[in-house]
Amino acid sequence: MEEDKIEEDKKHPERQTPDAENPYRLLNLKLTHVEKWAAGVPAVMASLSDLVEEKTLLRGARALFSMNQFGGFDCSSCAWPDPDDDRSPIGEYCENGAKALAEEATTKRVTPEFFRKNSVYELSKLDDYQIGKMGRLTDPVYLPEDGTHYQPISWDDAFRKIAAHLNALASPDEAAFYTSGRTSNEASFVYQLFAKEYGTNNMPDCSNMCHETSGSALRPTIGIGKGTVTLEDFYESEVVVIIGQNPGTNAPRMMSALEKTKKNGGKIIAINPLPEAGLMGFRNPQEIKGVIGSGVKLADLYLPVKINGDMALLKAIEWLLLDFERKSPGEVLDKKFIEEKTVGYEAFSRQFENYRLDELAAECGVSADLLYEAAQMMAFKSRIIVCWGMGLTQQPNGVDMIREILNILLLKGSIGKKGAGVCPVRGHSNVQGNRTMMIDEKPTDEQLDRLQRFFGFNPPRKHGYDVVRAIKAIHEEKIKLLFCMGGNFLSATPDTTYTAHALRKLRLLVCVSTKLNRGHLVHGKEAIILPTLSRSDLDIVNGELQIVSTENSMGVVQSSKGVLKPVSNNLLNETQIVCRLAMATLGSRAVVNWQRYHDSYDAVRDDIEKCIPGFDNYNTRVRHKGGFYLPNAARDEQLFASQYNYRAPFTLTEIPDNRLADDEYMMATTRTHDQFNTTIYGLDDRYRGIKNERRVIFMNEKDIQKAGFRNGDKVDLFNYDDGIERIAPLFIIVAYQIPEQNTVTYFPETNVLVSVNNVVKESNMPASKYVKIRIRKHDPEIYKRIERIEAQPR
């Protein structure tokens, strides 16, 4: 139990609360060997260790056998799909899924008594790892203006207070409603419906920080902002290309699919600045070979691309494919597909008269020989899948790079056929479902027309704010109330100092959460925390056990039914939270029957069916074993963009200028293996050889020597975008296999260096994988400088 006042842990002196004058501290970094394979027995042991740490070994272990199983609950971690029929009775979860469950199943509790004993200031001195380990929230709490401690509040009083704030605003557009990807389809639908009936499209969501780029690239080209493959396509693919994505940490169950690709004779090409363990090898802990053997080699070819060198690399492959076609006419390109299903090929092919292979190779940092080998692996194959993650989507030209990937697949006719297509690997477990449920600051007229016809009110037509624009609007006091449905807004967003300044200007910050996080501690004039059920909790409404539903990365909608007794009797599910807030806010002017939705998830699904295409017989089909696939015309019928007569256009793009000054480095932020998004499970990064530390910067050995540093030196990191000095102090240099003048650090520690104006073209996502920094030896006086920066409003 975590109800006593926070004290130093005598067993772990390295985890002591840092001094108030210096909130940054280093632990006892230990470097171990860098792994060349992922999973195996160590993953099993790490999973069990987390259950023990959260004091939920038996409770959590029992729940694991229901995770991702038919009739069980959907993992709240990543969005990788479950097999349609062949699910392992041993377990359909990975190490990170087990860690996510341990955090939900924990018996540690954050009660009103905990808040009475611990002030917001005391809690804010802890790091994100310490904050997250406090346990599950049990009761609604309220922080009054000028208050020092959160204090208990009843649900009714909380809803009345939030409603009073909402109704006092001069315009509904002075409120914003943020969504985390964990939110179910049912809760997402009623949430966006409430925002629209209230009168705003200000619905920033986590897609605005992860795969908005994918949707922006795909919708205008193939007519759908989602992937076009199924899990079974991986088993039939001849070549799988993984670019800017790390399966071993970000979607570990993906490695099981890649294992089947290899067993069936397929090849894998890995493209990434770091040679990640999960790209190189996999030891399946459910097979003897994975326990006592060497497992399976994954990548047949690894291309160590520079940060943002991907565009040059992709164009080099295209250059080679076109060259192969000239030498072997009709054998490399799918001319029939190009003629019947695409537009713009002639202009696309002409551009390569201006490129040279040696120049493209130099630009991307990969030798011409390796590029030739990659193109050769693809040249005479047609069943090709390309997967990507935030290594692409968080680049300033990420939209163009994804369209360049599509160019390659169009050349090969590798879309809309078995074993081929595009596969954006989504992060959070229902982030794709959120968008399908119209969690979107830019809803289409067609979507709004359907809502208007069915419900009878006129939803707002003006586009709202995405995450980056919402932060700026809060800073400018155009948004005065922020309601967060899950997530950790502050730690997930860029430009931490700027964002924190903005959040403190809010009249009211409301967070619907399962656990304490930093977003509760940097708040508006008033703040409310509403505790909710987790995905694994039993959800009982009017005496009946409920199901919710989610959509995975491949467009499968399936049911999820919790199994754990909630840690508190004073928790509400997200759908009921929205419905009660709607009734308190809208009162007699409401058109929607919110009480009906409050009392029945089936009622919500009945109306989703009438408002969103593809959900016919929703309540029946979602209860079928494995759920159902949503329509996907690009995948199923090779029907693409309607504005091009359902053909797919080739896109003309440019290679960016990535030149750096001699003392500049390109930094990309990433997660550790002991982390999911902003949730920190532990302090290790096992696959990269890091133990008991997060404040590290991976650098090339030549860069370390050239700058006069040594491996293990303590340094401060600086960014000067927009003419503003941003500082991330006290990092340890770790020599690593990474291209020269490229560096990698962990988020959220270095989000402070990501300018709110450093965004992806078209998608307006933070470009957190493209941050120019300078590195200097650590200055103990740097903290005073940081205090001055933080005290100055921008």
Side-chain angles (χ1 to χ4, degrees), residues 619-637:
N619 269 310
T620 299
R621 290 196 295 158
V622 79
R623 288 175 165 86
H624 288 170
K625 184 178 180 180
F628 61 93
Y629 281 87
L630 290 173
N632 189 313
R635 177 189 66 209
D636 302 331
E637 304 174 69

Side-chain angles (χ1 to χ4, degrees), residues 648-661:
F650 282 91
T651 305
L652 297 178
T653 62
E654 296 180 354
I655 296 175
D657 182 358
N658 290 323
R659 285 175 294 184
L660 297 167

Side-chain angles (χ1 to χ4, degrees), residues 109-125:
R109 309 193 320 154
V110 176
T111 65
E113 180 65 10
F114 170 92
F115 286 111
R116 188 185 69 80
K117 292 182 177 180
N118 296 285
S119 70
V120 172
Y121 173 72
E122 288 173 314
L123 292 170
S124 68
K125 291 191 294 181

Side-chain angles (χ1 to χ4, degrees), residues 24 727-729 781-791:
Y24 310 96
I727 306 173
E781 299 296 311
I782 196 72
Y783 308 109
K784 294 178 181 177
R785 196 155 146 195
I786 292 172
E787 285 179 3
R788 289 196 296 271
I789 292 172
E790 292 180 344

